[in-house]
Amino acid sequence: MREDVYGYKSSINVYNVDMNRKARPAGLLREMQECGSRQMADQKPSYDELLDKGQALMLSRLDMIIPQEVLLDEEIEVFTWPCPSARATFLRNYLVRKKGETAAMISSQWTLVNSETRKIMKVDEVDFSNYTMDEYVDVMPGSKFKISREDGETIAASEPVGIKNVKLSDVDYNGHMNNTNYVDMLCDYIPELEAGTHRVTVMRIHFSKEAPLGETIEIKRLRTPDYKYLFRTFRSDGELNVEAEFTLEKLNR
């Protein structure tokens, strides 16, 4: 990572920790995406300026590793850098450091869309050259997240573990459920997190179809023997909403 990438010092506040005062995965994600939003606002074009032109960056894929826990009010450094991109995929990395060491890192892929027609645009249709960029770092090198056919069939045959009605507090100003809220929603269906016996070390999500205000999401889940949880969620029209994989690590007490 080059020395002049965009970043700032911060801490995880009370709204983004769990019952044990440890940062939730969604809390870390919100802190990182806040860093990205600030970079866009400072270096232009901002997210609002894109929207005013009928354009939007929509998160399509997210891989996140969490090597270390971050505690309430613990000092951290947050960094982000967009990466040289081509065609229809906009690449961006995020990094959280604690005491100089990596506490969390994300490699993400975004899609630039026309916010009215929902058609995909090429990233070179917008001038992002003013952003401080660096090379793309794939936190899960050599593997693109995809639920296997066998696991997909098992999930499809299972009963839903929950139903989510998308309410006003779930959506952002795009009118769709915010991507960070999906992480909280899925973590609610990992019993080991509620019990406080495990933590999430790896999170992989593919965002397929948006869920607008008033949508009903059906949540299906599969637990594997190696402490992984696979999720698929579906909209009321049967379309795949998101699919995700969470890897857990047992905590030492």
Side-chain angles (χ1 to χ4, degrees):
M1 182 182 76
R2 54 191 278 188
E3 293 183 358
D4 61 342
V5 300
Y6 191 89
Y8 56 80
K9 293 182 179 180
S10 186
S11 61
I12 299 295
N13 60 35
V14 68
Y15 306 107
N16 288 314
V17 296
D18 61 17
M19 295 183 293
N20 298 310
R21 302 185 181 185
K22 298 176 181 179
R24 302 195 310 273
L28 290 168
L29 178 57
R30 290 187 182 106
E31 189 69 44
M32 295 185 199
Q33 291 196 355
E34 171 64 19
C35 188
S37 295
R38 291 191 189 188
Q39 183 193 28
M40 294 178 72
D42 288 347
Q43 297 184 344
K44 308 297 181 184
S46 69
Y47 195 80
D48 284 343
E49 287 170 341
L50 289 179
L51 287 180
D52 288 344
K53 294 179 180 178
Q55 302 159 343
L57 281 167
M58 311 295 291
L59 183 59
S60 57
R61 288 188 178 271
L62 168 74
D63 287 344
M64 180 177 184
I65 58 172
I66 313 174
Q68 297 189 61
E69 294 179 309
V70 178
L71 306 180
L72 174 65
D73 292 333
E74 194 168 25
E75 291 185 359
I76 56 175
E77 294 177 292
V78 189
F79 303 93
T80 187
W81 59 97
C83 312
S85 305
R87 299 181 182 176
T89 302
F90 183 90
L91 304 174
R92 181 181 280 275
N93 281 122
Y94 302 86
L95 173 67
V96 172
R97 280 183 177 167
K98 183 178 78 169
K99 298 179 180 178
E101 297 185 352
T102 298
M105 189 170 182
I106 287 174
S107 52
S108 64
Q109 299 179 12
W110 301 72
T111 302
L112 183 67
V113 299
N114 183 301
S115 52
E116 293 184 2
T117 66
R118 314 310 292 174
K119 288 185 177 180
I120 295 175
M121 304 171 59
K122 293 182 179 179
V123 293
D124 61 9
E125 293 183 57
V126 175
D127 183 6
F128 294 114
S129 62
N130 202 43
Y131 292 173
T132 303
M133 297 192 181
D134 201 0
E135 292 301 312
Y136 186 63
V137 179
D138 189 347
V139 301
M140 302 291 290
S143 64
K144 183 176 180 180
F145 168 58
K146 183 180 178 72
I147 293 177
S148 70
R149 180 176 178 178
E150 181 181 358
D151 286 338
E153 290 174 349
T154 302
I155 293 172
S158 67
E159 291 296 318
V161 293
I163 299 293
K164 168 68 176 177
N165 296 314
V166 180
K167 299 183 182 297
L168 186 62
S169 57
D170 298 310
V171 301
D172 51 30
Y173 57 10
N174 282 317
H176 304 111
M177 185 163 166
N178 184 267
N179 61 73
T180 66
N181 290 338
Y182 282 101
V183 179
D184 275 334
M185 176 185 76
L186 298 178
C187 283
D188 284 343
Y189 293 95
I190 301 178
E192 290 88 347
L193 299 183
E194 182 176 350
T197 59
H198 294 70
R199 74 180 188 93
V200 175
T201 57
V202 178
M203 179 177 72
R204 312 187 76 180
I205 305 180
H206 171 216
F207 296 87
S208 182
K209 295 284 187 178
E210 301 143 329
L213 178 64
E215 182 62 87
T216 299
I217 301 172
E218 181 182 74
I219 305 163
K220 292 196 171 188
R221 177 191 69 189
L222 173 65
R223 183 188 185 280
T224 69
D226 54 350
Y227 283 105
K228 289 184 180 180
Y229 277 88
L230 303 178
F231 289 94
R232 274 186 174 160
T233 67
F234 299 88
R235 304 191 312 184
S236 56
D237 60 5
E239 290 280 353
L240 177 66
N241 172 227
V242 302
E243 55 183 1
E245 176 185 273
F246 290 77
T247 302
L248 305 185
E249 175 185 78
K250 187 174 179 60
L251 296 173
N252 294 320
R253 295 205 173 194

